[in-house]
């Protein structure tokens, strides 16, 4: 057990008050339909009592736990309430989960991003549950006139052992809510966890498999119109003029006008990254009718900045590979001298293209803007930033803007950037009607905010005995370098140099699942594999030696990893995959990477069927501290692996004259069912450390595990993504 | 504009729309049945899959005028209580991540299993290949189809 001060979190609690009788704290309609066990169902309580911002308790013991963070498929809507329920000590079967809207008074960091939801909320969620439990116990102690220290709880019931009395939470909730919030509360010892660490089904699963409206695109409201936008077909262009007359007489079309989401004098947020603030908006009755008008609309665009191309990016990035940075990002020892005196130098360059996020649910948002308020609803990873921008654009106070969160049909970083939410608000304001803004797939794929194109050059110096003397990494990317100068193998090599280059562009880029790591893990771990081969060592042993060095005699400062945990996952995957015992016909690759505070090591087995690789199995060892919901966590790991394989193998956005050449899934290739691994087995390190990131860390390393396996299968190293266009053998 | 009476989930529904309107948008906009999803609009992703006389079809590429009197089943009508063996298998394997593609996956799998009750692994992959899952739940989709097949057998 550990004690935690509640005071730090006090700001996030509701003023404690009992709900008025009959409690209308949530729409009851959905309650019966959302119970995970439709047969057993949950009685709707007569009244609810708010205990704090995270939970309310019904008089019959049913508990509603709010899920504060945006749900993008990372399953926080299940795992965050599990943490509250754990400390509250309640029967999970009696819990219903409700998605909270944006409320910066009650909640901190309502963001889905950086794999941080659980990590950053771990303490506050536990404290919320523990505080409520404590207050319920105090209320029972008062009623029975016994010291609170003599009470225990079990699954929503408070017991007093010596008198044999017991009472349910529901019966003392109202009394508890009138008590002072305790100064500090005790948190459970992780070894006493009953809910955390057990697999619980996705709380929305029943609704997902029956097609209930959960997503932003499913929002329907009284009087709502459909809105679409037209943005420039090429980066570097902007709106010149358009002819509304031609489409206004088309069936179902009501209004056509221009909007500007970045007018002068308006303060924008980092999350307003957007290459196309000036747009034409079309408002009408139905999606299909508005789509037809969008196709028919003639718009003149003008070139404001010179159009870019992938050929140009490639040349510019290559040029940077041969140029020393003005200032190194990190230098240990004397790398210049070490390379000069080396017996052998290995030099390799790796490249990757732009990628689109392509959430399967395209960007969309609902907005109803009237004279004195703006009601928004939709899929957004950063609702607090969106509210700031919308208020500024509409000329309102933030308090006049509300944002409800819908389940998101994927995020992957794209919905950190809320331009579509601002656009919906501007369109509703100008049109004077509530609108649902809908992007077509083509709008979505050509809008920008891409994972940027990257290039990185590695050099390794070996002495005559094949010891790694020096290591040099120089990286360049569109809108920033991908290199993490303090990550492995920094700290494990005596002479080390890391350099950044940045290539400017008029194409907008943004965070894409595991930013920078999604490229660096591929390049670094493929290069390490090559060094191991040149030195004649087993690729796992070679890495383990470097970790050993980083642990025993670390070089330099700020090494951003724990070498023992790193080595731990590598050893675990080595054992689980039976590394070193080759199976005829199967080709193996290994990789390990650290990002989002978590460690992942993977082994992959590939079989070649003609020119097509079949991924037979992936073993994945993960150290992300305490795992809240193991089966859901495995699902995240599996998703990251499939995502990593798919984008490394098949996907790219390329540009010609400023225009993306891929606009829909006919030309943008996403991984399909038959290309996914037949089996993925995940192993979590059980170390009791507070939870770290889970949604992203399995994606980066799989690309290099696969590249390394494909090398063994085809005899060809792969230096560029997507692999299918680079490797001569692969079909 | 023309009037169409469609048989959807066992009930006749009449809509006034342009004949070329894809069934997808008739369902979503005119009948407020939003379980059938839009992902690409060009027959590439399978998010919009429904059954037409029991056969899996891409509703984004099916003009409402081509439906005629064929019976349409959508995810909302696949089972009365949400307990079709495929839905049950999906819950058992906790397949969904974001969940957006899953209605389409389930509709494809249920039509497929109705015709191929005991599929091989290769048949499952071939049948499910038209349904994109951006979250990468494919490994669970394969497993859930097998579980559903066992339930139906
Ligand atoms: S929306 Fe119909 S196949 Fe993609
Ligand atoms: S679960 Fe997200 S697209 Fe399939």
């Amino acid at each position: 057990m550990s004690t935690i001060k509640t005071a730090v979190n006090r700001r996030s609690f509701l003023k404690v008050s009992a709900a008025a009788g009959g409690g209308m704290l949530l729409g009851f309609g959905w309650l019966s339909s959302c119970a995970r066990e439709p047969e057993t169902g949950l009685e709707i309580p007569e009244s609810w009592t708010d205990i704090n911002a995270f939970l309310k308790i019904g008089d019959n013991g049913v508990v509603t736990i709010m899920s504060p963070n945006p749900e993008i498929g990372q399953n926080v809507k299940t795992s965050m309430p599990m943490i509250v329920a754990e400390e509250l000590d309640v029967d999970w079967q009696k819990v219903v989960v409700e998605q909270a809207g944006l409320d910066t008074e009650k909640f901190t960091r309502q963001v889905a991003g950086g794999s941080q939801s659980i990590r950053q909320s771990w303490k506050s969620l536990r404290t919320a549950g523990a505080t409520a439990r404590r207050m319920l116990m105090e209320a029972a102690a008062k009623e029975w006139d016994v010291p609170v220290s003599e009470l225990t709880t079990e699954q929503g019931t408070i017991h007093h052992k010596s008198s044999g009395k017991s009472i349910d939470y529901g019966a003392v909730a109202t009394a508890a809510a009138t008590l002072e919030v305790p100064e500090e509360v005790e948190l459970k010892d992780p070894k006493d966890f009953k809910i955390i660490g057990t697999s619980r089904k996705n709380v929305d699963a029943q609704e997902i498999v029956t097609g209930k409206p959960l997503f932003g695109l499913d929002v329907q409201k009284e009087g709502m119109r459909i809105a679409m936008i037209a943005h420039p077909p090429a980066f570097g262009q902007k709106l010149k003029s358009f002819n509304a007359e031609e489409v206004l007489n088309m069936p179902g079309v009501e209004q056509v006008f221009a909007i500007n989401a970045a007018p002068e004098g308006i303060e924008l947020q980092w999350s307003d990254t957007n290459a196309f603030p000036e747009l034409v908006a079309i408002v009408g009755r139905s999606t299909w009718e508005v789509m037809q008008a969008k196709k028919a609309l003639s718009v003149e665009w003008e070139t404001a900045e010179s159009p870019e191309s992938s050929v140009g990016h490639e040349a510019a990035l290559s040029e940077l590979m041969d140029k020393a940075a003005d200032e190194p990002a990190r230098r240990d020892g004397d790398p210049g001298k070490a390379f000069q005196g080396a017996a052998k130098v290995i030099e390799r360059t790796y490249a990757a293209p732009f990628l689109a996020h392509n959430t399967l649910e395209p960007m969309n948002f609902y907005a109803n803007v009237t004279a004195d308020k703006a009601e928004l609803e939709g899929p957004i990873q950063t609702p607090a930033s969106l509210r700031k921008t919308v208020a500024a654009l509409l000329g309102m106070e933030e308090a006049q803007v509300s944002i409800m969160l819908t389940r998101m049909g994927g995020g992957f970083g794209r919905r950190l950037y809320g331009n579509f939410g601002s656009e919906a608000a501007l369109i509703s304001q100008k049109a004077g009607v509530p609108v649902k803004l809908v992007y077509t797939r083509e709008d979505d794929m050509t809008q920008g905010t891409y994972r940027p194109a990257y290039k990185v050059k590695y050099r390794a110096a070996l002495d005559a005995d094949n010891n790694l003397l020096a290591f040099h990494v120089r990286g360049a990317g569109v809108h920033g370098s991908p290199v993490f100068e303090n990550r492995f193998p920094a700290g494990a090599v005596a002479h080390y140099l890391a350099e950044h280059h940045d290539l400017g562009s008029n194409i907008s880029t943004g965070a894409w699942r595991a930013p920078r790591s999604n490229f660096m893990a591929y390049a670094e771990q493929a290069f390490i594999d090559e060094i191991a081969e040149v030195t004649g060592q087993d690729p796992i042993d070679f890495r383990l030696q470097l970790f050993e060095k980083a642990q025993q005699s670390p070089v330099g400062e700020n090494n951003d990893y724990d070498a023992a945990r790193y080595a731990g996952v590598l050893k675990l995957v080595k054992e689980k995959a039976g590394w070193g015992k080759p199976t005829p016909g199967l080709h193996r690759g290994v990789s390990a990477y650290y990002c989002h505070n978590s460690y992942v090591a993977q082994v992959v087995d590939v079989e070649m069927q003609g020119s097509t690789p079949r991924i037979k199995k992936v073993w994945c060892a993960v150290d992300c501290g305490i795992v809240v919901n193991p089966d859901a966590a495995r699902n995240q790991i599996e998703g990251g692996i499939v995502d990593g394989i798919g984008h490394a193998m098949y996907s790219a956005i390329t540009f010609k004259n400023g225009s993306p050449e891929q606009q829909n899934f006919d030309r943008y290739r996403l991984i399909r069912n038959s290309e996914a691994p037949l089996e993925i087995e995940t192993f979590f390190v059980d170390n009791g450390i507070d939870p770290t990131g889970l949604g992203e860390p399995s994606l980066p390393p799989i690309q290099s595990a696969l590249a390394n396996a494909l090398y063994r299968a085809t005899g060809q190293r792969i230096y560029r993504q997507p692999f299918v266009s680079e490797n001569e053998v692969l079909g | 504009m023309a009037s169409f009476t469609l048989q959807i989930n066992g009930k006749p529904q009449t809509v006034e729309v342009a004949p070329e309107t894809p069934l997808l948008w008739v369902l979503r906009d005119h009948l407020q049945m939003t379980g059938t999803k839009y992902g690409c609009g060009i027959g590439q992703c399978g998010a919009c899959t429904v059954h037409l006389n029991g056969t899996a079809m891409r509703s984004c590429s099916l003009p409402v005028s081509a439906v005629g009197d064929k019976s349409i089943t959508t995810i909302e009508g696949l089972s009365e209580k949400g307990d079709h063996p495929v839905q049950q298998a999906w819950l058992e394997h906790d397949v969904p991540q974001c969940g957006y593609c899953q209605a389409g996956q389930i509709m494809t799998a249920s039509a497929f299993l109705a015709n191929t009750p005991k599929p091989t692994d290769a048949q499952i992959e071939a049948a499910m290949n038209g349904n994109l899952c951006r979250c990468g739940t494919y490994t669970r989709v394969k497993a859930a189809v097998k579980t559903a097949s066992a339930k139906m057998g």
Side-chain angles (χ1 to χ4, degrees), chain A residues 37 90 154 184 321 390 470 480 484 508 578 590 608 622 631:
Chain A
E37 312 274 311
V90 68
E154 193 195 355
E184 41 178 53
M321 289 301 93
V390 167
F484 295 94
S508 61
V590 65
M608 291 306 288
V622 183
D631 189 53

Side-chain angles (χ1 to χ4, degrees), chain B residues 16-32:
Chain B
E16 291 279 330
V17 291
E20 68 277 10
T21 310
L23 176 62
L24 170 66
W25 297 113
V26 173
L27 292 169
R28 291 187 56 86
D29 280 0
H30 300 271
L31 299 170
Q32 269 84 54

Side-chain angles (χ1 to χ4, degrees), chain A residues 201-202 206 209 217-218 220 287-288 357 407 440-441 614 631 635 638-639 643 664 671-674, chain B residues 22 28-29 35 37-40 44 87 91-92 94 97-98 100 125 129 134-135 138 140 142:
Chain A
K201 302 278 189 208
N202 182 332
Q206 181 75 27
V209 304
L217 213 55
D218 302 342
Q220 307 268 359
T287 314
W288 180 249
H357 294 84
R407 190 176 182 85
T440 62
R441 172 57 57 197
R614 259 336 295 257
D631 189 53
N635 204 350
E638 292 162 16
D643 195 357
N664 205 323
I671 189 169
R672 290 188 180 269
N673 193 301
S674 67
Chain B
R28 291 187 56 86
D29 280 0
K37 301 299 189 212
Y38 165 72
C40 69
Q44 287 286 330
Q87 288 167 318
L91 293 176
E92 252 172 70
D94 219 4
Q97 285 186 32
C98 82
Y100 193 76
E125 287 186 342
N129 244 12
R134 178 63 185 83
C135 299
Y138 296 129
R140 285 183 187 227
K142 295 185 224 245

Side-chain angles (χ1 to χ4, degrees), chain A residues 38 71-75 200-202 205-206 208-215 217-220 226 251-252 285-289 291-292 356-362 407-410 412 436 438-442 512-513 614 629-632 634-640 642-643 647 664-666 670-680, chain B residues 1 16-22 25-47 58 60 75-83 86-88 90-103 105-106 121-122 124-126 128-142 145:
Chain A
E71 172 63 63
I72 54 176
Q74 82 283 44
N75 209 29
R200 306 290 162 145
K201 302 278 189 208
N202 182 332
Q206 181 75 27
I208 291 168
V209 304
T210 51
K212 296 284 183 303
L214 291 169
F215 300 94
L217 213 55
D218 302 342
V219 169
Q220 307 268 359
I226 298 293
R285 239 172 12 196
S286 73
T287 314
W288 180 249
E289 287 169 320
M291 267 183 192
Q292 301 318 298
H357 294 84
N358 284 330
T359 60
L360 203 57
E361 176 198 26
R407 190 176 182 85
M408 283 177 249
F412 314 108
K436 179 169 67 181
V438 177
Y439 275 28
T440 62
R441 172 57 57 197
E442 289 81 3
W512 189 103
R513 196 175 193 176
R614 259 336 295 257
N629 191 2
D631 189 53
R634 277 192 284 275
N635 204 350
Q636 287 303 301
I637 295 294
E638 292 162 16
V642 173
D643 195 357
H647 286 90
N664 205 323
F665 297 130
D666 50 349
L670 281 179
I671 189 169
R672 290 188 180 269
N673 193 301
S674 67
E675 294 152 347
L678 290 169
E679 194 186 346
I680 299 171
Chain B
M1 286 290 160
E16 291 279 330
V17 291
E20 68 277 10
T21 310
W25 297 113
V26 173
L27 292 169
R28 291 187 56 86
D29 280 0
H30 300 271
L31 299 170
Q32 269 84 54
M33 296 174 70
T34 54
T36 306
K37 301 299 189 212
Y38 165 72
C40 69
I42 60 166
Q44 287 286 330
C45 76
R58 304 278 199 258
C60 71
I75 186 73
E76 291 93 341
L78 181 63
S79 62
E80 218 166 284
K81 290 188 174 153
D83 56 357
V86 173
Q87 288 167 318
Q88 286 178 1
W90 247 248
L91 293 176
E92 252 172 70
H93 289 270
D94 219 4
V95 176
Q97 285 186 32
C98 82
Y100 193 76
C101 72
Q102 301 296 345
Q105 305 273 3
I106 289 169
D121 290 2
I124 293 175
E125 287 186 342
M128 301 310 297
N129 244 12
N131 287 76
L132 291 174
C133 174
R134 178 63 185 83
C135 299
T137 63
Y138 296 129
T139 309
R140 285 183 187 227
V141 166
K142 295 185 224 245
V145 172

Side-chain angles (χ1 to χ4, degrees), chain A residues 386-608:
Chain A
L386 176 62
R387 185 168 65 185
K388 284 200 180 81
T389 301
V390 167
L393 286 170
L394 298 179
M396 287 184 176
E397 296 297 322
E398 273 195 64
Q400 292 170 279
V401 180
S402 67
I403 301 181
M404 283 302 299
L405 303 177
T406 56
R407 190 176 182 85
M408 283 177 249
F412 314 108
R414 176 61 188 87
R415 293 190 228 264
L416 292 166
Y417 309 95
N419 59 290
F420 44 88
S422 314
E423 291 159 12
L426 285 171
I427 295 170
S428 173
Q429 186 182 44
K430 193 145 176 177
V433 286
V435 298
K436 179 169 67 181
L437 170 67
V438 177
Y439 275 28
T440 62
R441 172 57 57 197
E442 289 81 3
D443 294 334
D444 192 280
M445 209 179 286
T446 59
Q447 191 274 339
T449 330
Y450 302 116
R451 194 288 294 268
Y454 289 126
K455 220 166 200 180
V456 65
K457 180 156 93 180
Y458 284 103
R459 294 195 304 144
L462 302 177
D463 68 13
D465 298 325
N466 277 331
N467 294 307
L468 181 59
L469 286 179
F471 194 90
H472 175 199
V473 52
R474 177 184 292 159
V478 172
H479 297 307
S481 160
V483 173
F484 295 94
E485 60 271 17
N486 294 323
R487 284 195 186 164
F488 180 80
V493 192
H495 307 284
Y496 174 88
L497 177 64
E499 297 176 284
H500 296 311
H501 282 301
D502 179 354
L503 181 64
S505 172
N506 56 34
I507 298 167
S508 61
T509 62
W512 189 103
R513 196 175 193 176
R516 296 152 70 206
S517 304
N518 60 36
F519 169 67
M520 290 308 290
Y522 151 62
E524 172 201 297
Q525 289 288 303
F527 186 60
I528 294 280
D529 208 68
E530 248 188 280
I531 308 176
E533 189 185 26
V534 171
T535 65
Q537 295 181 75
D538 173 85
I540 292 187
D541 292 343
F542 180 70
R543 287 170 172 86
L544 288 175
Q545 277 168 30
L546 290 173
F547 291 134
E548 182 69 23
K549 171 130 193 5
Q551 230 179 307
Q552 299 309 329
S553 48
V555 180
E557 272 157 37
N558 301 325
N559 294 327
D560 179 23
Y561 60 93
D562 177 329
R565 290 176 77 182
Y566 226 140
V569 287
L570 204 48
K571 285 180 191 156
L572 180 60
V573 84
K574 179 180 178 181
E575 175 210 321
K576 297 292 180 185
W579 183 261
K581 295 178 218 105
T583 314
L586 293 184
H587 310 279
R588 287 201 143 172
V590 65
S591 174
Y593 202 67
Y594 162 77
C595 64
H596 303 89
N597 317 93
S598 295
Y599 300 80
V600 174
Q602 291 157 340
V603 168
V604 58
D605 269 359
V606 170
E607 180 186 80
M608 291 306 288

